[in-house]
């Protein structure tokens, strides 16, 4: 008995020490440290906490940080093939699903905020208030929860007695096994991202029209807003591709489990890590004001008295 336990432990340890898995752990560790530093920077400056742009940015960082931690833990479980009770798996995937949809919805809200700042500058201060941004965050999480409620309802309606205590390889494919449930889940996901894509496309073309009609100074800020919307659109595209992956992974899983693990590893790096690493780049590093404060904290100069950080005015529109 003890010999079997030792062999099983060594087998799990060998999978944990997989070089590819270790590389992912290093990348995730770096991104989590960067995100934590940016969240810390946001809460340390009143100017950031009272600006709608930074409120949405901080919310994206918070969702991405939690999602990366949860998805990385699920990746480790998948590599080590450690079974998990179905009830626990449902809770973990439900929470991760809410965070997964919250990010693209927040990106869409950020694009709308840029549209209001550039195309409706006189009403921007009235519309884009911290209180409304906080309310928008609650709406985002409510919309993100709809998909998980639908999936949970489908599982509960078809799950046999004792299903929730049964051990399984935790994945959404194990929870949603009936074809019509998979089709409904996919259709809802595509509907969400179709609406978000239309919204981002609308804001992009309206900002483009404003940039063409603007003066030289305003055109510069409008062009910067266009680049920001384009980066958000690219993030949304990567998130949209991620929705198609379960269908491919399910087909591969039925053929070869080893190939399935390799595919899941690539998908995790390309379509989960990559989109969530763009958020710090779009706002955290491209934004001069935020970057200067971030750099000071990164150099452990937390005790230094910084000059007041100027909140973006309507005229900057960047």
């Amino acid at each position: 008995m003890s010999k079997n336990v030792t062999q099983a432990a060594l087998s799990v340890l060998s999978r944990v020490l997989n070089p590819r898995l270790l590389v992912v752990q290093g990348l995730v560790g770096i991104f989590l440290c960067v995100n934590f530093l940016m969240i810390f920077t946001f809460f340390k400056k009143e100017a950031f906490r009272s600006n709608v742009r930074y409120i949405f940015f901080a919310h994206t960082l918070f969702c991405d940080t939690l999602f990366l931690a949860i998805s990385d833990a699920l990746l480790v479980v998948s590599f080590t093939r450690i079974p998990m009770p179905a009830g626990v798996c449902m809770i973990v995937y439900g929470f991760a699903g809410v965070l997964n949809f919250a990010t693209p919805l927040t990106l869409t809200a950020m694009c709308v905020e840029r549209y209001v700042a550039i195309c409706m500058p006189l009403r921007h201060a009235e519309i884009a208030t911290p209180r409304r941004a906080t309310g928008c965050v609650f709406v985002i999480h409510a919309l993100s929860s709809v998909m998980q409620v639908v999936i949970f309802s489908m599982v509960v309606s078809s799950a046999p007695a004792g299903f929730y205590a049964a051990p399984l390889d935790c994945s959404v494919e194990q929870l949603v096994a009936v074809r019509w449930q998979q089709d409904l889940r996919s259709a809802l996901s595509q509907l969400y991202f179709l609406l978000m894509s239309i919204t981002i496309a609308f804001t992009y073309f309206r900002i483009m029209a404003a940039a063409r009609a603007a003066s030289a100074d305003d055109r510069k800020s409008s062009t910067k807003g266009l680049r920001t919307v384009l980066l958000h659109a690219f993030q949304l595209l990567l998130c949209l591709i991620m929705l198609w992956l379960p269908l491919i992974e399910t087909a591969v899983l039925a053929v070869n489990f080893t190939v399935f693990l390799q595919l899941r590893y690539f998908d995790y790096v390309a379509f989960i890590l990559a989109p969530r690493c763009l958020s710090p780049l779009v706002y955290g590093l491209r934004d001069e004001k935020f970057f200067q404060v971030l750099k000071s904290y990164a150099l452990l100069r937390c005790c230094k008295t910084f000059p007041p950080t100027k909140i973006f005015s309507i005229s900057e529109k960047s």
Side-chain angles (χ1 to χ4, degrees), residues 155-178:
V155 174
V156 171
S157 64
S158 59
F163 168 77
Y164 304 102
L168 49 76
D169 295 326
C170 187
S171 67
V172 71
E173 294 79 20
Q174 297 287 341
L175 300 176
V176 184
V178 183

Side-chain angles (χ1 to χ4, degrees), residues 30-103:
I30 293 173
F31 296 139
L32 290 180
C33 289
V34 172
N35 284 1
F36 277 126
L37 181 59
M38 289 189 172
I39 293 173
F40 174 79
T41 302
F42 168 78
F43 281 107
K44 289 294 289 184
K45 300 297 293 185
E46 174 64 28
F48 297 148
R49 299 196 302 271
S50 60
N51 190 301
V52 173
R53 289 178 57 190
Y54 296 115
I55 292 174
F56 284 143
F57 171 54
H59 178 251
T60 303
L61 287 176
F62 182 76
C63 291
D64 288 348
T65 299
L66 289 178
F67 182 77
L68 280 177
I70 295 174
S71 60
D72 182 59
L74 290 173
L75 182 70
V76 173
V77 170
S78 177
F79 261 81
T80 55
R81 305 177 191 176
I82 298 176
M84 181 184 299
V88 177
C89 182
M90 286 179 60
I91 295 174
V92 173
Y93 258 100
F95 191 48
V98 172
L99 296 172
N100 185 30
F101 272 88
T103 292

Side-chain angles (χ1 to χ4, degrees), residues 128-142:
T129 63
R131 183 175 180 179
R132 290 186 176 180
T134 304
C136 186
V137 167
F138 284 106
V139 172
I140 286 171
H141 282 280

Side-chain angles (χ1 to χ4, degrees), residues 82-149:
I82 298 176
M84 181 184 299
V88 177
C89 182
M90 286 179 60
I91 295 174
V92 173
Y93 258 100
F95 191 48
V98 172
L99 296 172
N100 185 30
F101 272 88
T103 292
L105 285 170
T106 307
L107 294 177
T108 305
M110 294 169 82
C111 290
V112 173
E113 189 274 334
R114 286 296 84 202
Y115 160 73
V116 173
I118 294 174
C119 299
M120 306 169 62
L122 298 180
R123 299 191 59 193
H124 180 257
E126 174 189 353
I127 296 174
T129 63
R131 183 175 180 179
R132 290 186 176 180
T134 304
C136 186
V137 167
F138 284 106
V139 172
I140 286 171
H141 282 280
L143 292 174
S144 303
S145 302
V146 171
M147 173 71 70
Q148 310 314 312
V149 171

